[in-house]
Amino acid sequence: GNSVTQMEGPVTLSEEAFLTINCTYTATGYPSLFWYVQYPGEGLQLLLKATKADDKGSNKGFEATYRKETTSFHLEKGSVQVSDSAVYFCALRPLGGKLIFGQGTELSVKP
Amino acid sequence: DTEVTQTPKHLVMGMTNKKSLKCEQHMGHRAMYWYKQKAKKPPELMFVYSYEKLSINESVPSRFSPECPNSSLLNLHLHALQPEDSALYLCASSQEHGAYEQYFGPGTRLTVT
Protein backbone atom coordinates (compact mmCIF):
# COMPACT_ATOMS: atom_id res chain seq x y z
CA GLY A 1 0.00 0.00 0.00
CA ASN A 2 0.89 3.68 -0.01
CA SER A 3 2.49 5.27 3.04
CA VAL A 4 4.70 8.14 4.16
CA THR A 5 7.28 8.04 6.94
CA GLN A 6 8.73 11.21 8.43
CA MET A 7 11.43 11.72 10.98
CA GLU A 8 10.07 12.09 14.44
CA GLY A 9 10.07 15.41 16.20
CA PRO A 10 10.20 17.69 17.85
CA VAL A 11 13.20 19.18 16.09
CA THR A 12 14.77 22.14 17.87
CA LEU A 13 17.20 24.40 16.05
CA SER A 14 18.82 27.75 16.61
CA GLU A 15 18.04 30.59 14.25
CA GLU A 16 20.10 30.47 11.01
CA ALA A 17 20.78 26.73 11.38
CA PHE A 18 20.42 24.32 8.46
CA LEU A 19 17.22 22.29 8.41
CA THR A 20 16.59 18.80 7.08
CA ILE A 21 13.36 16.92 7.70
CA ASN A 22 13.51 13.42 6.29
CA CYS A 23 10.58 11.93 4.40
CA THR A 24 10.43 8.55 2.69
CA TYR A 25 7.50 6.96 0.97
CA THR A 26 6.10 3.69 -0.28
CA ALA A 27 3.87 3.86 -3.31
CA THR A 28 2.85 2.03 -6.43
CA GLY A 29 3.25 3.94 -9.65
CA TYR A 30 4.36 7.54 -9.74
CA PRO A 31 2.73 9.61 -7.00
CA SER A 32 2.90 13.37 -6.59
CA LEU A 33 4.70 14.51 -3.45
CA PHE A 34 3.98 17.49 -1.24
CA TRP A 35 5.13 19.32 1.84
CA TYR A 36 2.48 21.12 3.87
CA VAL A 37 3.16 23.44 6.81
CA GLN A 38 0.83 24.12 9.72
CA TYR A 39 1.57 27.14 11.87
CA PRO A 40 0.18 27.17 15.42
CA GLY A 41 -3.59 27.58 15.46
CA GLU A 42 -3.90 27.54 11.67
CA GLY A 43 -4.83 25.24 8.82
CA LEU A 44 -2.42 23.55 6.43
CA GLN A 45 -0.60 25.54 3.78
CA LEU A 46 0.90 23.95 0.71
CA LEU A 47 4.63 24.66 0.96
CA LEU A 48 5.93 22.92 -2.16
CA LYS A 49 5.28 20.04 -4.50
CA ALA A 50 6.90 17.76 -7.05
CA THR A 51 5.06 15.65 -9.56
CA LYS A 52 7.75 13.47 -11.13
CA ALA A 53 11.15 11.98 -10.43
CA ASP A 54 14.02 14.49 -10.11
CA ASP A 55 11.63 17.44 -9.84
CA LYS A 56 12.71 19.98 -7.25
CA GLY A 57 9.99 21.88 -5.44
CA SER A 58 10.93 25.17 -3.78
CA ASN A 59 9.21 27.97 -1.91
CA LYS A 60 10.16 30.51 0.78
CA GLY A 61 13.72 29.15 0.91
CA PHE A 62 12.57 25.56 1.39
CA GLU A 63 13.48 22.87 -1.14
CA ALA A 64 12.76 19.20 -1.67
CA THR A 65 13.76 16.88 -4.52
CA TYR A 66 11.70 13.89 -5.68
CA ARG A 67 14.15 10.98 -5.49
CA LYS A 68 12.64 7.85 -6.94
CA GLU A 69 15.74 5.69 -6.45
CA THR A 70 15.67 6.32 -2.70
CA THR A 71 11.89 6.93 -2.47
CA SER A 72 12.57 10.13 -0.58
CA PHE A 73 11.43 13.76 -0.53
CA HIS A 74 13.51 15.39 2.19
CA LEU A 75 12.75 19.00 3.12
CA GLU A 76 15.70 21.39 3.45
CA LYS A 77 16.27 25.04 4.25
CA GLY A 78 19.64 26.69 4.49
CA SER A 79 18.91 29.14 7.29
CA VAL A 80 15.81 28.81 9.46
CA GLN A 81 14.05 31.66 11.22
CA VAL A 82 11.95 31.76 14.36
CA SER A 83 8.93 32.29 12.11
CA ASP A 84 9.51 28.84 10.55
CA SER A 85 8.41 27.18 13.80
CA ALA A 86 5.51 24.96 12.78
CA VAL A 87 4.50 21.38 12.07
CA TYR A 88 5.59 20.07 8.68
CA PHE A 89 3.69 17.28 6.91
CA CYS A 90 5.05 15.27 4.03
CA ALA A 91 2.31 13.82 1.82
CA LEU A 92 1.84 11.80 -1.32
CA ARG A 93 -1.03 11.45 -3.71
CA PRO A 94 -1.16 8.52 -6.11
CA LEU A 95 -2.74 9.40 -9.43
CA GLY A 96 -6.49 9.23 -8.91
CA GLY A 97 -6.04 8.51 -5.21
CA LYS A 98 -6.31 10.14 -1.82
CA LEU A 99 -3.80 12.42 -0.16
CA ILE A 100 -1.76 10.39 2.32
CA PHE A 101 0.08 12.23 5.10
CA GLY A 102 3.08 11.41 7.20
CA GLN A 103 2.78 11.82 10.94
CA GLY A 104 4.17 15.36 10.92
CA THR A 105 7.37 16.82 12.31
CA GLU A 106 7.24 19.67 14.78
CA LEU A 107 9.98 22.26 14.30
CA SER A 108 10.91 24.77 16.97
CA VAL A 109 13.42 27.51 16.11
CA LYS A 110 14.98 29.40 18.99
CA PRO A 111 16.43 32.91 18.68
CA ASP B 1 -6.04 33.43 -5.32
CA THR B 2 -5.75 30.10 -3.52
CA GLU B 3 -8.04 30.87 -0.61
CA VAL B 4 -10.44 28.53 1.08
CA THR B 5 -12.52 30.16 3.80
CA GLN B 6 -14.23 28.47 6.72
CA THR B 7 -16.75 29.67 9.29
CA PRO B 8 -16.97 29.75 12.18
CA LYS B 9 -13.39 29.80 13.41
CA HIS B 10 -14.37 28.36 16.77
CA LEU B 11 -17.50 26.46 17.83
CA VAL B 12 -18.57 25.10 21.19
CA MET B 13 -21.62 22.87 21.20
CA GLY B 14 -23.42 20.55 23.54
CA MET B 15 -24.11 16.94 22.73
CA THR B 16 -27.76 17.67 21.92
CA ASN B 17 -27.12 20.68 19.69
CA LYS B 18 -27.33 20.92 15.92
CA LYS B 19 -24.78 23.13 14.20
CA SER B 20 -23.19 23.54 10.79
CA LEU B 21 -19.70 24.26 9.51
CA LYS B 22 -19.31 26.19 6.28
CA CYS B 23 -16.59 26.21 3.66
CA GLU B 24 -16.25 28.31 0.51
CA GLN B 25 -13.82 28.53 -2.38
CA HIS B 26 -13.85 30.67 -5.51
CA MET B 27 -11.03 29.02 -7.42
CA GLY B 28 -13.35 27.07 -9.71
CA HIS B 29 -12.27 23.83 -8.09
CA ARG B 30 -14.56 20.86 -8.68
CA ALA B 31 -13.47 18.72 -5.74
CA MET B 32 -13.98 19.60 -2.08
CA TYR B 33 -13.02 17.72 1.05
CA TRP B 34 -13.68 17.54 4.78
CA TYR B 35 -10.91 16.43 7.09
CA LYS B 36 -10.76 15.95 10.85
CA GLN B 37 -7.53 16.70 12.68
CA LYS B 38 -6.69 15.85 16.26
CA ALA B 39 -3.89 17.67 18.06
CA LYS B 40 -0.39 16.82 16.78
CA LYS B 41 -1.79 14.31 14.25
CA PRO B 42 -2.17 14.46 10.47
CA PRO B 43 -5.58 15.26 9.00
CA GLU B 44 -7.92 12.32 8.45
CA LEU B 45 -10.14 12.33 5.39
CA MET B 46 -13.88 12.27 6.10
CA PHE B 47 -15.70 13.11 2.84
CA VAL B 48 -14.96 13.95 -0.77
CA TYR B 49 -17.29 15.77 -3.13
CA SER B 50 -16.57 15.73 -6.83
CA TYR B 51 -18.69 17.87 -9.15
CA GLU B 52 -21.10 18.45 -6.27
CA LYS B 53 -21.70 14.75 -5.71
CA LEU B 54 -20.49 12.76 -2.73
CA SER B 55 -17.84 10.40 -4.03
CA ILE B 56 -16.12 9.22 -0.85
CA ASN B 57 -17.43 8.71 2.68
CA GLU B 58 -14.70 7.28 4.88
CA SER B 59 -17.16 5.39 7.09
CA VAL B 60 -17.95 8.55 9.03
CA PRO B 61 -20.70 8.27 11.69
CA SER B 62 -24.08 9.58 10.58
CA ARG B 63 -23.98 12.34 13.18
CA PHE B 64 -21.80 14.11 10.57
CA SER B 65 -23.77 15.00 7.46
CA PRO B 66 -22.08 16.75 4.53
CA GLU B 67 -23.81 18.86 1.93
CA CYS B 68 -22.60 20.56 -1.24
CA PRO B 69 -25.20 23.16 -2.29
CA ASN B 70 -23.12 24.32 -5.27
CA SER B 71 -19.63 24.06 -6.65
CA SER B 72 -18.27 26.78 -4.35
CA LEU B 73 -19.84 25.78 -1.05
CA LEU B 74 -19.47 22.84 1.27
CA ASN B 75 -21.28 22.37 4.56
CA LEU B 76 -20.89 19.90 7.38
CA HIS B 77 -23.99 19.46 9.53
CA LEU B 78 -23.40 18.27 13.06
CA HIS B 79 -25.92 16.59 15.35
CA ALA B 80 -25.67 14.64 18.60
CA LEU B 81 -21.90 14.78 18.67
CA GLN B 82 -19.72 13.17 21.31
CA PRO B 83 -16.87 14.80 23.25
CA GLU B 84 -14.38 12.71 21.26
CA ASP B 85 -15.54 14.55 18.15
CA SER B 86 -13.77 17.66 19.44
CA ALA B 87 -11.10 18.47 16.87
CA LEU B 88 -10.03 20.87 14.14
CA TYR B 89 -12.22 20.41 11.06
CA LEU B 90 -10.48 21.34 7.85
CA CYS B 91 -12.00 21.94 4.45
CA ALA B 92 -9.91 21.61 1.31
CA SER B 93 -10.41 21.91 -2.43
CA SER B 94 -8.60 20.86 -5.57
CA GLN B 95 -9.08 21.37 -9.28
CA GLU B 96 -10.23 17.78 -9.68
CA HIS B 97 -10.45 14.86 -7.30
CA GLY B 98 -7.42 12.59 -7.43
CA ALA B 99 -5.31 15.07 -9.34
CA TYR B 100 -3.53 18.31 -8.52
CA GLU B 101 -2.74 19.72 -5.14
CA GLN B 102 -5.24 20.38 -2.39
CA TYR B 103 -5.65 23.79 -0.77
CA PHE B 104 -6.78 23.91 2.82
CA GLY B 105 -8.83 26.41 4.76
CA PRO B 106 -7.92 27.65 8.24
CA GLY B 107 -10.23 25.19 9.93
CA THR B 108 -12.99 25.28 12.54
CA ARG B 109 -11.94 24.43 16.08
CA LEU B 110 -14.85 22.39 17.46
CA THR B 111 -15.36 21.64 21.14
CA VAL B 112 -18.16 19.30 22.19
CA THR B 113 -19.18 19.62 25.82
Side-chain angles (χ1 to χ4, degrees):
Chain A
N2 300 308
S3 65
V4 177
T5 302
Q6 289 182 236
M7 64 187 286
E8 289 191 20
V11 173
T12 302
L13 295 174
S14 297
E15 206 165 23
E16 298 184 2
F18 185 87
L19 169 71
T20 299
I21 300 178
N22 290 336
C23 172
T24 57
Y25 67 91
T26 302
T28 53
Y30 301 93
S32 294
L33 301 174
F34 308 90
W35 277 101
Y36 284 87
V37 57
Q38 187 171 31
Y39 298 102
E42 298 185 10
L44 273 69
Q45 296 179 25
L46 178 64
L47 183 58
L48 53 84
K49 66 176 182 180
T51 57
K52 61 183 188 297
D54 300 325
D55 265 1
K56 177 185 282 189
S58 61
N59 186 24
K60 301 181 181 180
F62 291 90
E63 292 183 341
T65 301
Y66 190 140
R67 301 282 189 204
K68 192 154 182 67
E69 63 277 10
T70 54
T71 61
S72 65
F73 193 54
H74 304 321
L75 183 68
E76 297 182 335
K77 186 176 186 184
S79 176
V80 292
Q81 305 300 311
V82 173
S83 57
D84 293 325
S85 298
V87 179
Y88 293 81
F89 291 98
C90 184
L92 72 81
R93 185 186 44 71
L95 185 62
K98 299 184 295 187
L99 194 58
I100 297 167
F101 290 94
Q103 288 302 303
T105 302
E106 183 177 5
L107 170 66
S108 178
V109 181
K110 306 296 186 186
Chain B
D1 181 12
T2 56
E3 189 178 26
V4 176
T5 59
Q6 290 186 243
T7 55
K9 190 171 178 62
H10 299 278
L11 178 63
V12 179
M13 60 185 291
M15 289 189 285
T16 58
N17 291 159
K18 285 186 180 180
K19 296 287 185 183
S20 297
L21 310 184
K22 297 185 184 304
C23 173
E24 190 166 6
Q25 56 88 14
H26 293 289
M27 295 177 278
H29 289 175
R30 304 317 300 263
M32 296 185 77
Y33 311 79
W34 281 115
Y35 288 84
K36 174 183 178 180
Q37 187 183 27
K38 290 284 206 178
K40 299 191 182 293
K41 297 292 187 183
E44 299 172 9
L45 182 65
M46 300 174 71
F47 302 103
V48 180
Y49 272 82
S50 179
Y51 288 84
E52 301 167 43
K53 294 190 187 308
L54 183 64
S55 63
I56 293 177
N57 176 342
E58 291 285 313
S59 302
V60 178
S62 60
R63 56 186 185 270
F64 295 91
S65 175
E67 177 196 21
C68 189
N70 61 55
S71 60
S72 300
L73 293 175
L74 186 66
N75 298 322
L76 186 63
H77 303 298
L78 314 173
H79 174 55
L81 294 193
Q82 303 298 310
E84 59 265 27
D85 296 321
S86 298
L88 181 68
Y89 287 84
L90 294 163
C91 174
S93 70
S94 66
Q95 193 167 334
E96 301 271 346
H97 172 50
Y100 308 99
E101 57 272 22
Q102 292 182 22
Y103 293 93
F104 285 79
T108 294
R109 177 76 58 189
L110 174 67
T111 303
V112 182
T113 60

